[in-house]
Amino acid sequence: MTTPQIRRLWLRLGQVAGLIVMAMLGIIDIRYGMLQLSLDGLVLSLVRVGLAVATVRVWLPEHPQNSRRLPSLALLLAAASIAVTVATLTVGFGPTGVWGFAETCGLLASIYVVARRGAPRSSVAAVLALGLAGILLPLRGVADDRYVIAALLVALGVAGATAGGAYLRFLDRGREQVLVTMRAEQRAEFARELHDFIAHHVTGIVVQAQGARFIAEQDPQRVILALEQIEQAGAETMNSMRRMVGVLRDPHAAPDAPLTPLAGLTELNPLLAGFNGSGAPVAHLHVDGDLDGVPVEVSTTAYRVVMEALTNTRRHAVGARSVDVQIFRGPESLFVRVTDDGATPRAAVPRRQHRYGLMGLTERVHALGGRFSAGPGAVGGWVVDAALPLDHEAAR
């Protein structure tokens, strides 16, 4: 089960738990209304339960981040709750001993969701309105000093729900900023690699063209061979440049960074040799298929998948003794799999690390139109899988 699936599962469990709690509180509200032995009390209890059900429309759905609709729904809910409170006092019901516990729970849940997911500007007004509605709720059930105590308790709940939603919103925003930075870094790395690759091939084209000019009169057949090589190198350069420029469309990703040498599939053997030279576990390389002619962006991405997987194995694979690196070239894609025999489940990564290495790899592989996954293996250990299309344009 992937991390997003686990998060969704916990979200659903929390929502189910919230519905159960609200249902129990709603039963209590209706029970108190029945104990008042009056039709007005029962009707008032049903109205309170109806408002509690209305809050479900606000906090239960999975609203998108910065939702503009969410604060609007929250403002309508707050207005309805305040109107019922005012009407209760105006009609003369007076304190009834219960004010709507299910509605209170629903309002707090709504405050949390609005603070976390709502559009920033309108969410402030929505949270304030919901908080006011919650603080006024005890007026329906208690009076005098008891109201002050009840209002303070509700106010503490409002503050806690607001702080919790705002804190998680802050964490989400920080994570998004990290992802944006990582995307920019990946694009910058693509740009550096593109520069090196094109410089290498253009230099070869120039040298071949210069040689062809000098041997044109002596050996015309060699000129034809040189032209074929120039054509092949030029076509490969243009194809890779077209693929990689598609990834560099972000106008903010144009850094003046120093150039770095390319590291691709041909450097896997030195990479594994360095890994094995530092002690257990021992890595083994298995290659199936011809790796000649693999596009440069695919080759370098595959290298980085293997490098990150080996790094994570060294850091986190408890008790691992061996690592298998498998490279398979299919008709349309290059497949990379790195597996270890460490203990599962893997030791938890410290919160401050946030698996940013795997997140960066995911962004890079997806930029090429590929697929990436990392998780526990079916028979133990850890498995990192990547499928990289050899034709990036066809994969888009």
Side-chain angles (χ1 to χ4, degrees), residues 111-312:
I111 290 172
Y112 166 80
V113 172
V114 172
R116 183 175 183 183
R117 296 290 185 184
R121 293 184 179 179
S122 53
S123 291
V124 175
V127 168
L128 290 175
L130 289 172
L132 176 62
I135 293 173
L136 292 177
L137 277 181
L139 286 174
R140 303 177 188 172
V142 294
D144 302 329
D145 294 340
R146 290 180 298 171
Y147 165 73
V148 175
I149 297 174
L152 286 176
L153 292 176
V154 175
L156 289 176
V158 169
T162 304
Y167 174 71
L168 291 180
R169 185 191 190 100
F170 173 78
L171 293 182
D172 290 341
R173 184 176 179 182
R175 182 174 180 273
E176 291 175 359
Q177 291 177 344
V178 170
L179 289 176
V180 170
T181 302
M182 291 172 59
R183 292 190 185 102
E185 291 175 352
Q186 292 294 334
R187 291 187 174 93
E189 190 172 3
F190 271 121
R192 294 193 295 268
E193 293 176 354
L194 177 61
H195 178 282
D196 287 349
F197 179 79
I198 292 178
H200 170 75
H201 280 277
V202 170
T203 301
I205 291 172
V206 172
V207 172
Q208 290 176 350
Q210 291 173 343
R213 185 182 62 183
F214 287 109
I215 64 174
E217 298 180 357
Q218 291 82 3
D219 192 348
Q221 186 63 33
R222 291 180 59 188
V223 173
I224 295 176
L225 178 61
L227 291 176
E228 291 176 351
Q229 294 175 346
I230 291 173
E231 179 184 8
Q232 181 180 0
E236 185 178 356
T237 301
M238 291 301 297
N239 288 335
S240 289
M241 182 169 63
R242 184 169 55 252
R243 296 188 191 103
M244 299 179 75
V245 166
V247 184
L248 300 174
R249 291 178 178 174
D250 185 354
H252 302 290
D256 296 324
L259 299 178
T260 57
L262 288 172
L265 293 173
T266 56
E267 282 73 33
L268 285 180
N269 283 320
L271 176 65
L272 267 65
F275 179 84
N276 292 335
S278 58
V282 178
H284 306 278
L285 178 63
H286 310 276
V287 178
D288 186 0
D290 185 8
L291 300 184
D292 293 335
V294 174
V296 61
E297 66 277 7
V298 175
S299 178
T300 56
T301 300
Y303 177 89
R304 277 153 180 76
V305 169
V306 175
M307 181 173 64
E308 181 68 24
L310 292 178
T311 301
N312 287 339

Side-chain angles (χ1 to χ4, degrees), residues 332-353:
E332 300 179 351
S333 300
L334 180 76
F335 300 93
V336 180
R337 169 169 287 189
V338 182
T339 60
D340 63 58
D341 59 355
T344 54
R346 174 161 301 191
V349 179
R351 180 176 294 272
R352 63 180 179 273
Q353 294 182 7

Side-chain angles (χ1 to χ4, degrees), residues 9-46:
L9 175 61
W10 279 109
L11 175 62
R12 293 303 185 193
L13 291 176
Q15 290 174 336
V16 171
L19 289 173
I20 293 174
V21 170
M22 286 191 61
M24 296 175 62
L25 294 176
I27 294 174
I28 295 175
D29 291 337
I30 295 176
R31 181 62 176 170
Y32 267 96
M34 296 174 63
L35 290 177
Q36 293 176 15
L37 300 177
S38 65
L39 180 60
D40 293 339
L42 180 59
V43 170
L44 182 58
S45 297
L46 292 177

